[in-house]
Amino acid sequence: MKGKRPGGGRSAGALGLEREGAEVPGPQPDHRFVVRTMLKYCYSLRMNLMRTIVMKRRAVALVGAGMLALSACSAGGGSSSGSSDGGGEAAPSTDRTEVGALSPRIVLAHEGGITTLDSSDGSTLGSEELEGYVRLNPAGDGRNVAVSASDAITMYDTGLLAQGHGDHFHYYVQEPTLTDLTVEAPHPGHVVPHGDRTALFSDGTGEVTVIDPAALGEGQLEILEQTSTEDPHHGVAVPLSDGGKLVTQGTEEERSTVQVLDEDGKVTAETDDCPGVHGEAAAQPTESGDVISLGCENGSVIYRDGEFHKVDIEGDYQRSGNQMGHEDSPIVLADHKVEADPAGGIERPTEVALIDTRDDTQQIVDLGSEYWFRSLDRGPDGEALVLTADGELNILDPETGEILHEVPVTGEWTEPEQWQAPGPMLDVADGTAFVVDPEAKKLTMVDVASGEVYRELDLPVVPHEIQVTTGTASGEYEVAPGADDEAAEDSAASDGGGDHEGHDH
């Protein structure tokens, strides 16, 4: 294991980075993360919310941050005990250990089950045996991972707890465990956290289950709503901030309809102009509410200001079936495929689309190297991240398309013939891109702001999916002394899979 402080920009918050050239003796608490989390908690008291929030990201001044945390609490006018960031009450004291700070935990799906690692030193914290092909998605509370296997979606508690106590936090860790909180879902599909709700879709039945992720940490599966689409299909549902939801309609043979339903189930907006609908992402909302982009085979469609809008394309076919959004950015990162019938059944694009949800346009950026559906993610400030087959992590400015950093992180690779097979992938949490090279059984950590590699870990398994948890729903904290008391939750909707032989997952 190697480690060094990134050479500039925002450093990775919760990873306990060491001084330049020093060895890492073990998990190191990062006091900046503690201060930021305390501030977040104090703000939540003032707003009387029991939800994880994120202070508006701005330039950071760490000098005097400890005094800022205390003054923020005293100015907040209120205290509470027993509230939990990232989902409810702490586990019984016999099951937990108090620590000075939380380090992100890396959950890997692989043949035979799932394994959880400590990001600070790569040690194995726990593993679970599972049959069948296992998928991973964020559950929405920053602590649990939604594990799709067989015909169910089950919550996996990664064991990170932040418990409020008056004007400060106590941090606890416990062993990761596969819970008994399960939603039956034949052919489990997309899991989409958005706002304070999470939607689970069953492709086999068309059933949509909406849950409250904040209840998971209390050991409860709080189902807020269960509805069904007209027919089973490979679809998706997105909870909306006004209490309604966006949902697809279709059959196993075709799907081209997207609807928005209000709290009472009434259709308030609809489009049939989205053939092969797949891939959803939430962008920066407008004053009217949520903005959601969806991939189609004739150009993406955007739900904005209560209506659907079509993105113009060149030609008859253009598909962006894998999309990544950020709620502080109006730009959505998406793949860009233009071959309706690619040779060999797999198109290997080198171009990505930067979809502007403000005016329904898109900028095409050629990276010069192929990528696949596990290559896309967003950074803490909305940076567009693309992992390409030349072994580089490309970090782009989403507004201009400029490549800010090209970071060598893997060997050269080619997209697997089967989408389920292990291949290079990434997940972003707390300012860090966690990049996996399954063939080398390596994980590389990259500071997104600076583009610096600062840690490498050997992996005990050959993974095919990754999720990183921080104990917070956003995965990010940034505090600006004197900043306005505004909050915004970073979110990137989970695509839930890739393509093979014309079928989406």
Side-chain angles (χ1 to χ4, degrees), residues 89-337:
E89 299 175 358
S93 58
T94 54
D95 297 333
R96 69 187 186 189
T97 300
E98 187 165 7
V99 295
L102 300 178
S103 293
R105 292 186 166 183
I106 303 164
V107 184
L108 303 172
H110 51 87
E111 184 177 358
I114 52 180
T115 295
T116 301
L117 308 179
D118 189 325
S119 65
S120 65
D121 59 7
S123 60
T124 299
L125 301 173
S127 60
E128 297 281 350
E129 294 184 2
L130 292 169
E131 295 182 358
Y133 188 72
V134 178
R135 307 297 311 275
L136 303 177
N137 283 288
D141 67 341
R143 171 177 163 182
N144 283 268
V145 171
V147 177
S148 300
S150 300
D151 287 332
I153 301 173
T154 302
M155 301 303 157
Y156 179 71
D157 187 345
T158 62
L160 296 177
L161 299 84
Q163 186 177 33
H165 186 258
D167 60 355
H168 62 279
F169 265 98
H170 288 275
Y171 301 96
Y172 301 93
V173 294
Q174 61 188 38
E175 290 186 5
T177 184
L178 191 66
T179 73
D180 59 359
L181 306 179
T182 297
V183 174
E184 297 299 321
H187 301 290
H190 290 225
V191 176
V192 181
H194 184 61
D196 58 2
R197 296 181 296 157
T198 299
L200 292 67
F201 198 96
S202 169
D203 291 351
T205 64
E207 186 169 70
V208 177
T209 303
V210 180
I211 67 170
D212 179 0
L216 297 175
E218 300 173 6
Q220 299 176 6
L221 181 65
E222 185 175 341
I223 296 177
L224 304 175
E225 177 186 1
Q226 279 189 313
T227 58
S228 292
T229 57
E230 296 172 6
D231 294 288
H233 67 286
H234 182 58
V236 68
V238 182
L240 301 178
S241 58
D242 62 3
K245 63 178 178 290
L246 179 148
V247 66
T248 58
Q249 296 284 355
T251 66
E252 293 182 358
E253 288 73 34
E254 61 180 4
R255 54 188 189 277
S256 60
T257 301
V258 187
Q259 298 175 331
V260 172
L261 289 71
D262 63 17
E263 286 185 280
D264 299 322
K266 178 183 177 181
V267 176
T268 60
E270 179 173 322
T271 179
D272 294 320
D273 191 16
C274 191
V277 55
H278 184 271
E280 77 297 323
Q284 185 179 50
T286 66
E287 292 182 357
S288 300
D290 300 300
V291 175
I292 309 295
S293 175
L294 300 105
C296 317
E297 293 176 352
N298 62 348
S300 295
V301 67
I302 297 168
Y303 174 71
R304 183 187 70 248
D305 298 332
E307 298 178 342
F308 285 101
H309 308 264
K310 196 69 178 174
V311 175
D312 289 332
I313 63 170
E314 296 182 2
D316 297 326
Y317 183 90
Q318 189 275 317
R319 185 175 185 278
S320 292
N322 300 279
Q323 304 197 3
M324 298 297 293
H326 189 287
E327 287 197 351
D328 286 334
S329 171
I331 308 299
V332 169
L333 169 67
D335 58 352
H336 181 70
K337 295 186 175 182

